[in-house]
Amino acid sequence: MWWHILVGMIAGLVLLYLGMLLLLWWANRGSDDPSGLRETMRVLPDLLGLLRRLVSDPQVPRRVRLTLVVLIGYLASPIDLVPDFIPVLGYADDAIVVAIALRSVVRHAGPEAIRRHWRGTPEGLRLINRLAGQPHRQEPR
């Protein structure tokens, strides 16, 4: 039935959101900022927008856009390397896949592409750069 597909898609998007939230919290856990969780929750919509803008940018290499499409498809898929119902490990594989994909995107598209498409806060950009394995640079706004 069609509603099974719809429910599966909605559940996949909710799990994707929760997995990305866990990933961002994990990347921000060493921060001295006491509002780290708040910043993590605030950066997630910006990260999703960043992925969307990178996929639609014709200046970004096709390989990078394909990597992002595969990443989004993997995260939205109910099939994972480690099932999400397994506590901690279920979302850890998603976090690892996102970190690897972000590192690949930065390596092939360059950190400038990330900065050009980032619409969030400077703190959020620092978090994304840390997740992508990039050194922190003070960015003018």
Side-chain angles (χ1 to χ4, degrees):
M1 300 205 117
W2 65 269
W3 62 273
H4 285 124
I5 295 171
L6 180 63
V7 168
M9 288 175 57
I10 291 171
L13 289 173
V14 168
L15 289 175
L16 169 67
Y17 184 83
L18 292 174
M20 291 182 79
L21 183 62
L22 179 67
L23 167 71
L24 292 171
W25 172 81
W26 178 75
N28 201 30
R29 73 190 184 292
S31 174
D32 294 334
D33 178 18
S35 64
L37 183 58
R38 190 173 351 160
E39 181 59 32
T40 297
M41 293 176 70
R42 201 174 345 192
V43 80
L44 189 59
D46 295 330
L47 175 62
L48 293 173
L50 171 69
L51 296 177
R52 182 185 54 77
R53 285 186 291 279
L54 285 169
V55 166
S56 63
D57 182 359
Q59 293 178 346
V60 172
R62 184 173 299 188
R63 177 179 177 179
V64 171
R65 294 186 312 210
L66 181 61
T67 299
L68 292 171
V69 168
V70 169
L71 170 66
I72 292 167
Y74 172 78
L75 292 173
S77 169
I79 301 170
D80 280 344
L81 296 174
V82 178
D84 288 336
F85 65 83
I86 297 174
V88 181
L89 293 178
Y91 292 110
D93 72 319
D94 293 342
I96 292 168
V97 169
V98 169
I100 290 170
L102 278 177
R103 288 172 188 244
S104 174
V105 165
V106 170
R107 187 171 46 250
H108 292 99
E112 179 54 38
I114 302 294
R115 282 192 297 275
R116 185 173 66 240
H117 290 291
W118 183 253
R119 301 290 185 263
T121 65
E123 295 82 16
L125 181 58
R126 280 194 295 275
L127 177 61
I128 296 302
N129 282 333
R130 190 170 41 231
L131 188 61
Q134 293 295 304
H136 169 65
R137 283 182 32 196
Q138 191 67 8
E139 297 298 325
R141 277 297 237 179

